[in-house]
Amino acid sequence: MCGIFAYLNYQVPRTRKEIFETLIKGLQRLEYRGYDSAGIAVDGTKKATTDINGNTICLIKKMGKVKALDEELYKKDSLNLEEELFTHFGLAHTRWATHGEPSALNSHPHRSDKDNEFVVIHNGIITNYKELREYLITKGYEFESETDTEVIPKLIKYIYDNRESDSITFSTLVERVIQQLEGAFALVFKSRHFPGEAVSTRRGSPLLIGVRSEHELLTDNIPIQYNSAHFKEGIQEKNSHNRPDCSKAINSVGDACAVEYYFASDASAIIEHTNKVLYMEDDDIALVTHGKLSIHRVNRQAGENPVRAIQTLQMELQQIMKGNFDAFMQKEIFEQPESVVNTMRGRICFDTSTVVLGGIKDHLKEIKRCKRLILIGCGTSFHAAVATRQLLEELTELPVMVELASDFLDRNTPVFRDDVCFFISQSGETADTLMALRYCKKHGALTVGITNTVGSSICRETDCGVHVNAGPEIGVASTKAYTSQFVALIMFALMMSEDRLSLQARRLDIINGLRMLPELIKKVLALNDKIKAIANELYQQRSLLVMGRGFHYATCLEGALKIKEITYMHSEGILAGELKHGPLALIDKDMPVIMIIMRDGCYSKCHNALQQVIARSGRPIVLCSQDDPEMTKNVYQTIELPHTVDCLQGILSVIPLQLLSFHLAVLRGFDVDFPRNLAKSVTVE
């Protein structure tokens, strides 16, 4: 997940070195979000020319850590670090690659042209960037990166080059740009044509503005200006609101008084400078000109708040790094309503019930001709494959093998040219999975990557693939990457079965289930307090069994793995059908047992297993459906979950086990985010 930070000082003298330090510190506060490269944009040395008033913009970008960028800044001999700038606007950005591998060229800020007339920093994904890119290329604009973001500065320059009047405002240009964009974005713009001005906007990605002044602000509430400027049949309609109305903008008391503005993806980068912040809403356009901040929107929607309030943050810097959460793992569990949406965004059209995975659509015909699917992964990624195997078999009507990468290699498994092999890895660098990929390529199979890291080795070496867009995971124990991998594989199955008439009713049920999934995840997360109470009863135990079957066998494996990873308790995921073949010997009144029993095709079989556990004095904790009052009888405790289509129920049933493992680890006094002996990315065999 990219990090945005920008700083505008108006009538506040700052040396270029001080500005650099502010921008770098802002990026350092955002490092926890995960990134692979970083960059800044600042005013360069003024040229003695009439060209755009002699304004220049200097871009400095570096692959790797923020520290490497910081060192690079001081190598720029052309920049006078001691020059004092009374008014200046600087941009800074950390990039998490989604389109194009990590590199200085692909990192932000991105520019409109070689003269840096417009530069922009972006957090999010532009889903229609290919169409915009093709159009702009036909108009003579040259692209230098592989990113989706680069279309934005090119597009704003195209609109500026074709402006109807020289008096057009910066905010109007941005307004016209965002009307052409699809997807999610938080954007901050800087331009040589509008020195000392800043424009920011957002849709689907967070952005807030901090305000700092030695003087009291005129108001804590900013009325929104509704611009209603748009194109209709090639003719622009405009009204007097296209220009910023300074009476509706905030500034410090008195004319031309000093004020500073901080733009950031989250408050962790702002809190050390000011606790006065404004949270932008979707499609807001914030403009700072002559030190005054105004908020613009194209149209007013019924029921929307016509003002934006300056709020006072009550929290301290150390608290806000993880938001309101105690650990990154906890934060990532609670991000799952958003992360599954990001996985689906731009890929599922719920209105037409179509699914398009852009990364594999060009190979779809070849995949449909294959004789076998092989899904290969390690740990949590292996469990995502197990979780979706049954649906893949059902919708593709192909044999599906699920393999642990290390075992797959040890057996020298036969692989043929008409196989399609999937390699699932959060980091895209998992050593065993990477070795299995090279083994399959050598045998002529088509290879598909399912990763969360663009530019990783698996991304580069597979024939095609899907980026799950879960955002960076900092906690070693994977949570949101698992559910996003799950959703990505479900979408692949839906895409493969699009032309099967006999499967259309089933497909529609699953697509409707995906539509409702984010809200259902929120309902499961609301059970956190109940799960914490159960953890209080279990945390002193030495062992824990998790049982289920059918679609929920993978949930048992994944839940048990989470408990092992971060609580250091022995935990085992058991297929309920195997209970009488050995595991039943472990059951007594002292053995904690969690059973997953949902209303699906295995309900009666799981119920039989439950009776066997109860008959041996077991006291099972049962994850069951809300509409199952029978299940609450004769069992020790229940966790009642909302019901969804059977193949998606595993996403809802794994979240209580993620939360349980978190609370158990906290109660046992362990570091949740960095469990002993484990690394986030396993890059050795």
Side-chain angles (χ1 to χ4, degrees), residues 1-2 9 38 65 77 155 197 254 292 298 302 320 324 330 338 342 372 378 389 454 484-485 509 580 609 630 645:
M1 190 183 297
C2 301
N9 54 300
K65 297 296 181 184
D77 297 333
L155 182 58
E197 292 189 24
K292 295 169 182 154
V298 177
I320 207 165
N324 296 317
Q330 184 188 25
E338 292 77 36
N342 289 337
R372 178 175 62 163
C378 301
R389 171 175 55 189
V454 170
S484 286
Q485 289 168 347
D509 283 346
K580 287 184 284 190
E630 283 293 314
V645 62

Side-chain angles (χ1 to χ4, degrees), residues 537-555:
E537 297 182 26
L538 296 176
Y539 79 96
Q540 292 179 316
Q541 298 286 344
R542 298 186 63 183
S543 189
L544 179 60
L545 304 181
V546 189
M547 296 185 194
R549 66 188 293 170
F551 284 110
H552 298 288
Y553 177 47
T555 305

Side-chain angles (χ1 to χ4, degrees), residues 568-610:
Y568 315 148
M569 289 171 64
H570 167 260
S571 184
E572 191 175 344
I574 296 173
L575 187 65
E578 291 293 297
L579 193 58
K580 287 184 284 190
H581 298 279
L584 197 57
L586 294 170
I587 303 298
D588 60 23
K589 62 182 175 61
D590 298 317
M591 173 60 74
V593 179
I594 296 173
M595 300 190 73
I596 305 170
I597 307 177
M598 296 293 167
R599 285 200 173 275
D600 56 21
C602 294
Y603 179 76
S604 60
K605 295 175 182 176
C606 288
H607 209 281
N608 291 339
L610 173 65

